[in-house]
């Protein structure tokens, strides 16, 4: 961590605890800031609040008191998930108090260079791929951000010998000011989180914070197959590294059906790649480009590409049993993600789908249902998904009561050569605390067959 006095003596409000607020409060307090934490949850049973109080941090729980911002705060650090419609945030903006997320703090204290990855889809897979490439190449990477490890806590312990690989959401990026990654990756952009950002334009603007402070000494890796990102790249001051799936290009990283190219030269054969799906090829290209720019030789990159089979709950290969392959894609909580999963396989598919009913349409899946031989529907949306599958002329449709039964049914109706795919196309909160819990139950059911 840099030797910094920039927070010393400053009155700072940390809004929202959870992991990021807790880590930010502890760090800022240790750097000499006068920290107040405000969290809407009650004090009872709040271990984080109790620990902070024991360290002398002022913690207010149970809601946002009137006049909270009348105490002369110079900075608000908010949990990324708290919307800008929140009364405290609105008042802070009105009073012209800066509002950050903890990612901004991480960038200000980090001795290590930062590689930041954003995008509507593929962030976690790209982040994990790149981390493994750098790790095999002995570049001492540290993984951080939206992937589950609070970035300011990682930056606190990072040195110049490390590289921080940071997954950054639009929520986190919107709360940055001077954030400047050495390498920025933007995998793709689709409409998402519009309830938070208000419009597609505002969503893109939030993500564009990833490159706003970059200079000609930095790199911007982006998906040149998307017009929106080509337009964004025109505003970048960084060295531009486009990636494309549309065949060999002379600049950046590209791929055709058989080969990956770096600046127009053959780099690695696609035949060694274990991770399935064209959407994952986008992730592979961007991670490979960042690894090359970070000084990785080809051998570590090839080693990872020939062994990496996916992030848990994201097109994760679970097991082959009796000639059937089982994949866990529990993270597929919308049609876009399930569409990508279906497009990744040429084999007959037994699809397990359904979950929380938000009233969203499944119609985008229709062109990708051709290989689906059986649908096993579960969760709140099971009847609706079954109706949709019937309209797609799926050969066999089964309604299931729970995940264990769904896996048992899949085993009974499938044949050698089939792919059994959990790709729910729905959030998990009808029956599960998270998509991870849902995916773990699927894995356990598969392993017990």
């Amino acid at each position: 961590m840099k030797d910094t006095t920039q927070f010393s003596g400053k009155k700072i409000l940390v809004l929202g605890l959870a992991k990021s607020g807790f880590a930010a409060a502890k760090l800022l307090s240790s750097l000499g800031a006068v920290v107040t934490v405000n969290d809407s949850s009650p004090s009872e049973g709040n271990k984080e609040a109790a620990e902070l109080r024991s360290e002398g941090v002022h913690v207010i729980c149970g809601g946002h008191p009137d006049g909270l911002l009348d105490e002369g705060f110079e900075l608000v650090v908010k949990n990324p998930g708290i919307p800008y419609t929140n009364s405290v945030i609105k008042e802070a903006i009105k009073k012209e108090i800066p509002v950050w997320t903890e990612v901004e703090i991480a960038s200000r204290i980090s001795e290590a260079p930062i590689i930041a990855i954003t995008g509507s889809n593929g962030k976690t897979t790209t982040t994990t791929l790149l981390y493994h490439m750098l790790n095999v190449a002995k570049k001492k990477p540290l993984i951080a951000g939206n992937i589950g490890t609070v970035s300011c806590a990682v930056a606190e312990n990072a040195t110049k010998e490390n590289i921080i690989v940071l997954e950054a959401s639009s929520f986190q990026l919107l709360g940055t000011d001077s954030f400047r990654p050495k390498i920025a990756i933007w995998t793709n952009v689709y409409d998402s989180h519009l309830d938070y950002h208000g419009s597609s334009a505002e969503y893109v603007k939030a993500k564009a914070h990833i490159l706003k402070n970059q200079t000609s000494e930095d790199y911007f890796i982006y998906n040149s197959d998307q017009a929106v990102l080509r337009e964004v790249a025109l505003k970048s001051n960084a060295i531009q590294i486009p990636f494309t799936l549309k065949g060999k290009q002379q600049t950046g990283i590209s791929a055709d059906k058989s080969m990956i190219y770096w600046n127009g030269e053959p780099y690695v054969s696609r035949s060694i790649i274990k991770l399935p799906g064209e959407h994952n090829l986008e992730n592979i290209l961007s991670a490979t480009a960042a690894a090359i720019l970070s000084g990785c030789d080809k051998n570590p990159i090839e080693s990872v590409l020939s062994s990496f089979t996916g992030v848990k709950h994201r097109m994760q290969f679970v097991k082959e049993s009796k000639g059937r392959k089982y994949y866990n894609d529990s993270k597929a909580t919308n049609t876009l993600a399930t569409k990508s999963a279906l497009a990744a396989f040429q084999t007959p598919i037994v699809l397990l789908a359904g979950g929380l009913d938000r009233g969203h349409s499944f119609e985008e899946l229709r062109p990708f249902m051709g290989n689906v031989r059986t649908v096993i529907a579960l969760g709140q949306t099971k009847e609706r998904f079954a109706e949709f599958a019937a309209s797609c002329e799926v050969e066999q449709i089964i309604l299931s009561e729970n995940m264990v039964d769904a896996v048992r049914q899949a085993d009974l109706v499938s044949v050698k050569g089939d792919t059994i795919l959990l790709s729910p196309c729905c959030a998990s909160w009808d029956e599960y605390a998270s998509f991870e819990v849902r995916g773990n139950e699927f894995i356990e059911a598969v392993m017990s067959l």
Side-chain angles (χ1 to χ4, degrees):
M1 181 175 69
K2 291 177 182 174
D3 184 13
T4 178
T5 59
Q6 61 184 299
F7 299 109
S8 182
K10 279 197 171 184
K11 290 195 72 174
I12 300 175
L13 173 65
V14 174
L15 193 64
L17 266 173
K19 287 193 295 185
S20 66
F22 178 68
K26 283 180 72 74
L27 174 61
L28 290 168
S29 181
S30 74
L31 293 174
V34 181
V35 178
T36 297
V37 175
N38 180 214
D39 191 65
S40 59
S41 63
S43 289
E44 292 75 24
N46 193 326
K47 294 179 181 178
E48 291 84 2
E51 183 173 337
L52 289 172
R53 285 190 179 115
S54 72
E55 296 177 8
V57 175
H58 181 42
V59 182
I60 304 168
C61 287
H64 309 308
D66 293 338
L68 178 62
L69 291 179
D70 294 341
E71 298 184 24
F73 292 113
E74 300 167 72
L75 172 65
V76 174
V77 178
K78 77 176 191 70
N79 183 290
I82 296 174
Y84 285 78
T85 54
N86 175 277
S87 59
V88 179
I89 300 301
K90 288 169 70 175
E91 183 68 16
I93 293 169
K94 184 179 177 181
K95 289 177 177 286
E96 298 184 341
I97 302 171
V99 178
W100 296 352
T101 57
E102 57 83 22
V103 169
E104 175 67 21
I105 301 169
S107 70
R108 287 173 177 250
I109 68 168
S110 178
E111 286 191 81
I114 294 174
I115 303 175
I117 298 103
T118 198
S120 300
N121 284 315
K123 295 187 295 295
T124 300
T125 298
T126 302
T127 301
T128 308
L129 266 169
L130 177 56
Y131 170 81
H132 286 308
M133 290 173 180
L134 295 171
N135 195 43
V136 173
K138 296 181 169 46
K139 298 291 183 180
K140 299 182 179 178
L142 302 170
I143 202 162
N146 200 51
I147 199 166
T149 309
V150 180
S151 55
C152 69
V154 174
E156 182 180 5
N157 298 302
T159 71
K160 292 175 183 177
E161 302 298 313
N162 298 118
I163 299 174
I164 294 177
V165 185
L166 169 65
E167 180 183 326
S169 70
S170 59
F171 298 175
Q172 292 168 317
L173 290 168
L174 188 54
T176 58
D177 178 35
S178 62
F179 178 65
R180 178 191 164 192
K182 180 63 180 176
I183 300 174
I185 300 174
W186 197 333
T187 59
N188 50 50
V189 60
Y190 302 99
D191 282 351
S192 188
H193 304 303
L194 300 189
D195 54 340
Y196 186 99
H197 294 289
S199 69
S200 299
E202 289 299 315
Y203 173 58
V204 172
K205 190 188 295 184
K207 282 196 171 293
H209 280 231
I210 199 171
L211 55 91
K212 73 175 183 177
N213 295 310
Q214 286 191 299
T215 72
S216 58
E217 298 178 353
D218 306 315
Y219 296 95
F220 177 42
I221 301 168
Y222 68 96
N223 187 340
S224 63
D225 291 341
Q226 292 195 317
V228 174
L229 294 186
R230 292 196 301 271
E231 186 72 22
V232 167
L234 294 175
K235 303 171 186 174
S236 170
N237 294 318
I239 299 166
Q240 296 183 21
I241 311 292
F243 69 84
T244 176
L245 304 186
K246 295 182 178 178
K248 181 172 74 171
Q249 306 294 318
Q250 294 306 309
T251 303
I253 192 163
S254 53
D256 58 21
K257 294 296 182 184
S258 60
M259 184 67 64
I260 291 174
Y261 302 89
W262 176 247
N263 290 330
E265 296 295 325
Y267 187 75
V268 65
S269 171
R270 286 184 60 180
S271 64
I272 71 166
I273 295 172
K274 286 289 189 292
L275 192 62
E278 289 292 297
H279 65 298
N280 276 322
L281 184 57
E282 292 182 350
N283 305 329
I284 286 166
L285 293 183
S286 56
T288 299
I292 293 170
L293 295 173
S294 300
C296 290
D297 294 330
K298 187 187 291 188
N299 285 345
I301 294 171
E302 286 185 329
S303 174
V304 172
L305 293 181
S306 62
S307 59
F308 185 80
T309 57
V311 179
K312 194 173 184 182
H313 310 300
R314 295 163 175 84
M315 289 290 285
Q316 174 197 5
F317 174 68
V318 177
K319 178 183 180 179
E320 182 169 352
S321 175
K322 296 180 287 187
R324 301 132 164 98
K325 292 182 178 179
Y326 290 81
Y327 286 85
N328 167 29
D329 193 34
S330 183
K331 178 65 170 64
T333 58
N334 55 43
T335 52
L336 177 63
T338 296
K339 182 169 70 174
S340 296
L342 293 175
F345 299 102
Q346 304 303 314
T347 53
I349 295 171
V350 177
L351 175 64
L352 281 63
L356 182 70
D357 194 347
R358 284 173 161 164
H360 62 297
S361 171
F362 304 121
E363 198 57 35
E364 283 185 70
L365 297 182
R366 188 174 296 278
F368 300 87
M369 295 290 287
N371 283 342
V372 178
R373 189 172 59 77
T374 301
V375 161
I376 301 176
L378 60 166
Q380 283 183 359
T381 59
K382 64 183 175 184
E383 284 85 5
R384 280 211 304 121
F385 202 90
E387 283 182 27
F388 169 72
S391 74
C392 296
E393 299 182 351
V394 172
E395 182 181 319
Q396 187 175 29
I397 300 166
I398 299 169
L399 297 180
S400 184
E401 290 304 313
N402 54 58
M403 187 66 72
V404 173
D405 178 62
V407 170
R408 184 183 63 81
Q409 293 282 1
D411 178 56
L412 290 173
V413 302
S414 59
V415 297
K416 186 177 181 180
D418 282 356
T419 294
I420 291 92
L421 171 66
L422 170 67
S423 191
C425 195
C426 299
S428 59
W429 300 316
D430 56 337
E431 297 182 37
Y432 301 97
S434 66
F435 70 83
E436 292 96 339
V437 175
R438 176 171 64 186
N440 286 335
E441 186 167 313
F442 173 76
I443 293 169
E444 289 171 10
V446 170
M447 299 307 289
S448 68
L449 285 175

